[in-house]
Amino acid sequence: MTIGSNAAVSQRRGANVALWVLQILLAAFFVFASAPKLLGEPTAVQMFDLIGLGQWFRYLTGGLELLGAIGLLVPRLAGAAALGLAGVMVGATITQVFVFQAPVMALMPFALVLLFLVVAWGRRRSIPLLAER
């Protein structure tokens, strides 16, 4: 190996470690974010009442968040889980802006969309439609 290839390997390894740290942090965040929805915490129930789709949507959202969090920790699923959670956060962003009329509150889910897209891009080889052939 040459010095240039050692640097490239080191850079790839560093990017991989950074992605794993980000995935673990996002997974932990979404395990905790899903709990109030799945356990029927009164604030979550009230929030989903305001959305107006019924409590089934609270369970769906919490379930998607929990499954996505688990998927982020499974190498074969990480890219797809990140894309799925990005979709959930797009929905959360739209809900904050148009249902709750709180555009400032939409910054958090929007930032999460961007982070999930970074993970999805970094793990694109685990997404069948995006994997390089």
Side-chain angles (χ1 to χ4, degrees), residues 2-3 16-17 20 41 54 63 73 76 80 85-86 105-106 108 111 119-120:
T2 64
I3 292 174
N16 187 46
V17 168
W20 273 112
E41 194 271 326
L73 302 176
R76 297 180 116 199
L85 285 168
M105 296 300 290
M108 174 70 155
V119 172

Side-chain angles (χ1 to χ4, degrees), residues 24-109:
I24 290 166
L25 291 173
L26 287 168
F29 179 84
F30 274 86
V31 165
F32 289 110
S34 69
K37 295 172 187 86
L38 295 173
L39 298 174
E41 194 271 326
T43 304
V45 171
Q46 182 181 19
M47 181 176 70
F48 278 85
D49 275 342
L50 291 172
I51 293 171
L53 293 176
Q55 293 303 308
W56 68 269
F57 190 63
R58 173 176 54 87
Y59 287 112
L60 175 66
T61 302
L64 290 173
E65 289 175 349
L66 182 59
L67 290 173
I70 293 167
L72 286 174
L73 302 176
V74 178
R76 297 180 116 199
L77 301 176
L83 279 180
L85 285 168
V88 171
M89 289 299 99
V90 166
T93 302
I94 291 168
T95 301
Q96 287 293 340
V97 172
F98 295 107
V99 175
F100 296 135
Q101 310 253 322
V104 172
M105 296 300 290
L107 293 175
M108 174 70 155

